[in-house]
Amino acid sequence: DEYRSQVKLQDAGSYTAESYQAYKTAYDALMQADPKDLSVDAFEKLKTAFEQAAYGLKRPDTPVSPNTPAAKPNPAPNPQPTTPNNGGQNSTKPVQTGDSGNLLLSAMMAASASVLAWVTGKKRKQD
């Protein structure tokens, strides 16, 4: 619920219909899932699918600079990345990306360590 409360739905008018539809489908699946019925693995799959869809959002008519060659369309795009080192076989298991650690907890620990070092330094100066 903490993660979901931070997720904000993007405006459909800012993106292509195709990329926004994939994003909206992943968003709805994430938001409509009942946390009481989800395992950690199931939540991670929903979260990963949403983040991949959010990353895949494309703006319409993105201008191309004159020095940049036009991108060639991929004739058979793979909707999900596959896992490496699987004997050359494609897998439908999405690759887990990013850090699974809690960023807020890490920041709080770093801040606490900084305050502790500062207080220790002040105490040593007083002695």
Side-chain angles (χ1 to χ4, degrees), residues 51-82:
E51 289 172 351
Q52 288 175 345
Y55 182 75
L57 283 172
K58 293 183 176 75
R59 299 214 183 259
D61 300 322
T62 304
V64 176
S65 77
N67 297 333
T68 306
K72 295 179 183 177
N74 188 354
N78 188 358
Q80 292 183 338
T82 59

Side-chain angles (χ1 to χ4, degrees), residues 38-123:
L38 284 180
S39 67
V40 172
D41 188 46
F43 174 76
E44 285 297 322
K45 285 180 182 178
L46 288 172
K47 180 181 170 188
T48 300
F50 170 73
E51 289 172 351
Q52 288 175 345
Y55 182 75
L57 283 172
K58 293 183 176 75
R59 299 214 183 259
D61 300 322
T62 304
V64 176
S65 77
N67 297 333
T68 306
K72 295 179 183 177
N74 188 354
N78 188 358
Q80 292 183 338
T82 59
T83 56
N85 301 325
N86 61 358
Q89 300 296 318
N90 284 339
S91 169
T92 58
K93 180 180 176 186
V95 176
Q96 183 174 353
T97 60
D99 189 4
S100 61
N102 188 338
L103 182 61
L104 181 59
L105 178 61
S106 299
M108 288 176 58
M109 292 296 290
S112 297
S114 297
V115 169
L116 181 62
W118 178 72
V119 168
T120 303
K122 286 202 72 93
K123 185 151 182 97

